[in-house]
Amino acid sequence: MSTKNPRVAVVGATGAVGREMLKVLEQRNFPASEVVPFSSARSAGTKVPYMDNELTVIELKEDSFEGFDIALFSAGGDTSEKFAPLAVKAGCVVIDNSNAWRMDPKIPLVVPEVNPEDLDWHPGIIANPNCSTIQLVVALKPIHDKAKIKRVVVSTYQAVSGSGQKAINELETQVSRLFNGKEVVSDVYPHQIAFNCLPQIDVFLENDYTKEEMKMVNETKKIMGDDSIKLTATTVRVPVFYGHSESVNVETTEKLSAIDCRNLLANFPGITIIDYPEKGHYPMAIDCAGEDDVFVGRIREDDTIDNGLNMWVVADNIRKGAALNTIQIAETLIERGLVRVV
Ligand code: A2P
């Protein structure tokens, strides 16, 4: 038996999610014997903050994973495809934030509040779902367990941080240039994002949906373990830095009143209800940024159908939508005895 707590590699540690991973490991006092940040050659040698120190970022190479127990990846699909199998070969459990493995039937796709039991059959890699899917399934799970969901119609209002640090910089630069009467350049997005809404996230597919929309459809079914849930999505990028918002319409088999739905969600782990229309209180991205929970409000019955509900679901896409969920997966692996701590 190991005499040391797990050594943790953070791959993509200079990115928006990677930096947050380091923060979350620190904030949750994750039992790591050592945390080592990796990036591409571009950022190797730079420093990232961790605990009271700074860690020097190391260039990721094929033999980087020797001696590590857990590898947290957030460096894009290509990096995951190439390096995650090497990490597994070196003895690591990989928790991967990219799209590379999510729909592979051999790889569990996990939100710890929803399907922790799927961790038990992981073959070395565990996939972290898409940010907009994570907050959605946390809100859907208690409703599905109680009243069986038939159909979901979701529209998202997604923050630019979901596209990484470059996109955060692009919104910032565009806003400041527009205020100074200058022309703007769009590199990350196909159109200007400042003061605009783009009904396109990721590329268009043959069915005219975007890849992000189909991720929500397919990942929801996989995480909830129920292919019968019908879901249709419109995903929209909005000029918000942190926090995805979602308008969610749910049709259930059994009747669920708005009051019962509110109580059900309030008692589910990881959900905070903010639903006081009389005071004008509801979840907003600016309040949810930096928070761990999924926030739900505007819960009301949809009286155009027999068993319908509407709600507004907000979460910090970098935390619950990415870094926090990843580290919660690692914590759940420890709880289930799948990773040892001393
Ligand atoms: P680097 O800083 O060297 O480019 P974001 O999603 O915010 O853009 O961050 C992406 C993260 O993934 C960064 O830390 C980036 O490192 C890292 N990354 C990108 N490509 C590679 C690669 N081939 N090997 C290792 N890390 C990579």
Side-chain angles (χ1 to χ4, degrees):
M1 188 175 129
S2 169
T3 55
K4 271 168 70 182
N5 276 337
R7 282 184 84 218
V8 179
V10 177
V11 178
T14 52
V17 173
R19 283 173 182 274
E20 196 69 24
M21 281 179 176
L22 293 170
K23 217 196 269 180
V24 176
L25 286 168
E26 175 180 340
Q27 287 169 342
R28 295 174 74 89
N29 212 5
F30 187 82
S33 63
E34 192 187 3
V35 172
V36 179
F38 290 94
S39 73
S40 78
R42 279 182 300 274
S43 307
T46 59
K47 308 267 187 195
V48 285
Y50 182 67
M51 303 278 195
D52 294 331
N53 297 313
E54 284 189 319
L55 302 176
T56 303
V57 179
I58 297 174
E59 181 185 351
L60 185 69
K61 299 212 173 113
E62 294 185 0
D63 60 358
S64 292
F65 297 102
E66 289 308 324
F68 284 95
D69 305 286
I70 298 176
L72 310 177
F73 274 68
S74 188
D78 293 345
T79 307
S80 293
E81 260 171 48
K82 177 171 171 196
F83 288 96
L86 298 174
V88 174
K89 226 179 230 170
C92 287
V93 178
V94 170
I95 308 172
D96 181 42
N97 261 282
S98 81
N99 190 35
W101 311 96
R102 287 183 189 147
M103 293 314 297
D104 184 328
K106 295 185 293 303
I107 305 291
L109 183 65
V110 175
V111 178
E113 295 90 337
V114 177
N115 60 334
E117 63 285 351
D118 284 342
L119 290 174
D120 297 344
W121 49 268
H122 84 79
I125 300 175
I126 296 146
N128 197 62
N130 179 259
C131 44
S132 42
T133 310
I134 292 178
Q135 66 185 70
L136 177 68
V137 294
V138 170
L140 292 183
K141 173 68 175 168
I143 298 174
H144 191 52
D145 287 350
K146 181 78 182 174
K148 189 152 176 31
I149 293 172
K150 275 205 227 168
R151 179 169 184 258
V152 179
V153 182
V154 56
S155 300
T156 70
Y157 305 68
Q158 296 183 222
V160 295
S161 52
S163 320
Q165 191 59 48
K166 296 175 299 298
I168 298 172
N169 301 345
E170 182 156 304
L171 174 58
E172 221 164 46
T173 308
Q174 287 186 354
V175 168
S176 115
R177 286 184 68 84
L178 287 165
F179 272 127
N180 287 292
K182 295 187 181 150
E183 298 234 324
V184 297
V185 182
S186 301
D187 286 326
V188 177
Y189 295 118
H191 306 280
Q192 176 186 317
I193 182 64
F195 311 111
N196 202 6
C197 298
L198 308 180
Q200 177 191 352
I201 299 187
D202 212 326
V203 294
F204 283 101
L205 303 174
E206 268 186 5
N207 63 1
D208 289 346
Y209 283 81
T210 62
K211 204 167 169 185
E212 183 85 351
E213 287 159 354
M214 294 316 294
K215 282 178 194 170
M216 292 191 81
V217 172
N218 297 322
E219 292 180 19
T220 298
K221 291 178 182 180
K222 180 167 174 178
I223 299 162
M224 305 275 278
D226 190 342
D227 274 346
S228 75
I229 298 173
K230 292 183 186 161
L231 188 144
T232 187
T234 303
T235 57
V236 182
R237 189 73 67 189
V238 296
V240 166
F241 285 108
Y242 295 98
H244 289 355
S245 306
E246 299 180 346
S247 161
V248 186
N249 178 266
V250 187
E251 183 177 2
T252 53
T253 307
E254 310 289 325
K255 176 77 188 164
L256 189 63
S257 70
I259 293 171
D260 288 347
C261 178
R262 204 173 289 120
N263 289 335
L264 200 60
L265 294 178
N267 289 312
F268 195 72
I271 293 182
T272 296
I273 300 288
I274 306 177
D275 199 6
Y276 305 100
E278 67 286 1
K279 295 189 206 153
H281 291 178
Y282 34 74
M284 292 188 291
I286 51 168
D287 297 328
C288 301
E291 298 290 330
D292 286 351
D293 271 4
V294 172
F295 293 81
V296 186
R298 303 294 325 278
I299 300 168
R300 63 218 190 270
E301 282 158 45
D302 170 4
D303 57 16
T304 65
I305 48 175
D306 285 341
N307 302 325
L309 289 160
N310 281 307
M311 56 186 176
W312 179 248
V313 179
V314 184
D316 184 325
N317 54 300
I318 297 293
R319 282 185 81 87
K320 185 56 188 167
L324 174 66
N325 198 68
T326 302
I327 284 140
Q328 287 173 321
I329 290 174
E331 291 170 346
T332 312
L333 286 170
I334 293 171
E335 277 162 31
R336 298 178 84 83
L338 299 165
V339 167
R340 269 188 220 284
V341 290
V342 290

